[in-house]
Amino acid sequence: DDNDASALESVVASAAAGTNKGRLRSRIQIASTTGQENLLSENFRIFFHVLTKDHSLPDLIWNQQTRRELRIALESELQSVRRATEARGGIDHIAWNHQQFAVEYPSLREEVQVGSVYMRLWLQAGDGFIKSWHEPVRLFELLFRRFLCELDRNTLVTVMCIRCLERLYSVHASKIGTFSDIMIMIRSMA
């Protein structure tokens, strides 16, 4: 069924793009709504080229191991679809629920993440990347919440949260506004 194939392609694209999936989807949508088939095929050519490269960004970690984990998950899912197809007498008698499909990335379990940000890489990122962050207020709230949760449990994560909050606030102070809970952070450092 064309819908199932399209759904599977969509999942491959969104899983591979990690947290940048919204940007990829919007580029694909723009290309398809403008009726420029050449632009759409060019987007996919670029997408598959980028997919083969390693990326280590604050909102995307993509490398040989994550590609392998995606491939294993997709192969497993395709096997399940094949088994269901054979058991039910053809592709017309099954439907693939792409919304329930998810890929686990065991290689990323050790990365400390807040929202869609890998904190280690956020701390290494240049100011240009932090300036381009589209929801600094939301990220600030998530980082502060994580800081509060880890306060008495994990010193390393607590310090990372403070450093991430400081970097984010130094760049986006005007958007974030007054931070009335600063004393909580100061007391935690005593």
Side-chain angles (χ1 to χ4, degrees):
D1 184 75
D2 287 339
N3 290 337
D4 289 339
S6 295
L8 184 57
E9 290 171 3
S10 170
V11 168
V12 170
S14 66
T19 57
N20 288 313
K21 64 186 173 187
R23 287 179 240 165
L24 175 65
R25 284 184 179 158
S26 69
R27 286 193 66 198
I28 292 170
Q29 185 176 15
I30 289 168
S32 63
T33 57
T34 58
Q36 299 175 1
E37 291 299 319
N38 289 341
L39 184 57
L40 182 60
S41 64
E42 179 67 12
N43 279 344
F44 279 109
R45 188 183 69 72
I46 292 169
F47 169 72
F48 286 112
H49 171 73
V50 170
L51 191 64
T52 63
K53 303 294 181 195
D54 288 355
H55 304 279
S56 188
L57 303 170
D59 64 342
L60 173 65
I61 297 175
W62 189 248
N63 54 40
Q64 183 177 357
Q65 185 61 33
T66 55
R67 282 190 291 276
R68 181 178 179 278
E69 292 162 351
L70 174 64
R71 189 187 79 242
I72 289 169
L74 289 172
E75 288 171 351
S76 175
E77 190 69 12
L78 286 171
Q79 283 292 74
S80 296
V81 169
R82 284 188 193 110
R83 282 192 301 274
T85 301
E86 291 170 5
R88 296 214 166 95
I91 194 80
D92 295 334
H93 302 287
I94 68 159
W96 181 59
N97 189 346
H98 67 281
Q99 293 176 335
Q100 290 183 341
F101 178 74
V103 178
E104 292 292 321
Y105 293 98
S107 63
L108 300 179
R109 281 191 191 128
E110 297 298 314
E111 289 288 340
V112 180
Q113 189 174 6
V114 173
S116 61
V117 171
Y118 296 101
M119 292 171 57
R120 174 182 61 84
L121 297 172
W122 178 265
L123 291 170
Q124 296 171 2
D127 284 347
F129 186 90
I130 294 172
K131 285 177 186 173
S132 71
W133 196 256
H134 60 282
E135 292 183 325
V137 175
R138 174 78 176 131
L139 181 58
F140 193 85
E141 291 169 358
L142 290 172
L143 284 165
F144 187 65
R145 203 172 303 145
R146 180 71 182 264
F147 162 78
L148 292 174
C149 290
E150 301 289 345
L151 194 54
D152 294 326
R153 298 181 345 183
N154 189 330
T155 305
L156 176 65
V157 175
T158 301
V159 170
M160 287 178 78
C161 286
I162 291 171
R163 291 178 59 211
C164 288
L165 284 163
E166 183 275 326
R167 288 217 52 214
L168 183 62
Y169 196 80
S170 69
V171 173
H172 289 288
S174 62
K175 290 181 184 175
I176 295 168
T178 303
F179 180 52
S180 57
D181 293 325
I182 190 71
M183 289 310 294
I184 295 172
M185 291 177 62
I186 292 170
R187 285 185 193 122
S188 74
M189 292 186 255

